[in-house]
Amino acid sequence: MTGASTEVGRGKGDLTRRRILDAAAAEIARHGPAGASLGAIAAAAELQTGSIYFHFASKQRLVEAVLEEGISASLRRLDEMAVPTGTPAQRLRAGVHAHLRALAELSDYAAVVLAPQFAARQPPGFRALRREYLRRWTELIADAQADGTLAAGPEPGEVRDLLIGALNAAGLAGQDPARTADAVFALLRLPPC
């Protein structure tokens, strides 16, 4: 099971909530939201099943929280890797590394966030966070196109979707993040940093 954040500076309730989220991400990744068992989630979190309801009003709300945490954690990694004063190529490289890091470190969350059943029916909180993540990626692509780092022809949103799709496919297939990043950089002909 791969967790979405560290335990530093958290109270007991926060740590319990984190254990539930991590266990739920693993269970939902394996069995889908309909097949996920609250009993299995509770057991993995070392709790009684009823304890889940202290933190989440329903199974649906727990699934929504897993989706929101998965994309929030990915946004945090994008922020951590950001190179605000770097060139567009440096910022794009940092974004690729951040995305691949999120896929590797948050594999259960990534599997849930990328599950096809959530593509059409996204909870509002998740939809807003996802929109922000995609907006930031569109900005990275547009900046790289504006300075000539990437070809200017295709729409930035299309390039973003192709790039993120390739990163997701490699990450979910268990490809080495460093090798994937090197292959993407070569494919995009990004100048070395």
Side-chain angles (χ1 to χ4, degrees), residues 102-154:
L103 288 169
E105 293 176 1
L106 307 167
S107 60
D108 292 333
Y109 286 89
V112 175
V113 166
L114 298 173
Q117 61 261 44
F118 297 116
R121 190 180 45 92
Q122 299 173 354
F126 171 73
R127 184 174 34 249
L129 290 165
R130 183 176 182 277
R131 197 175 307 127
E132 175 60 16
Y133 191 75
L134 295 176
R135 184 196 67 74
R136 290 189 196 181
W137 266 97
T138 303
E139 185 177 289
L140 287 172
I141 300 296
D143 288 350
Q145 288 178 319
D147 92 328
T149 297
L150 294 178

Side-chain angles (χ1 to χ4, degrees), residues 155-190:
E155 288 295 319
E158 292 171 352
V159 175
R160 173 206 65 210
D161 291 347
L162 290 168
L163 180 56
I164 289 176
L167 295 174
N168 290 344
L172 292 176
Q175 298 294 324
D176 176 59
R179 289 186 63 200
T180 300
D182 288 344
V184 166
F185 300 150
L187 181 66
L188 297 176
R189 298 179 185 210
L190 289 180

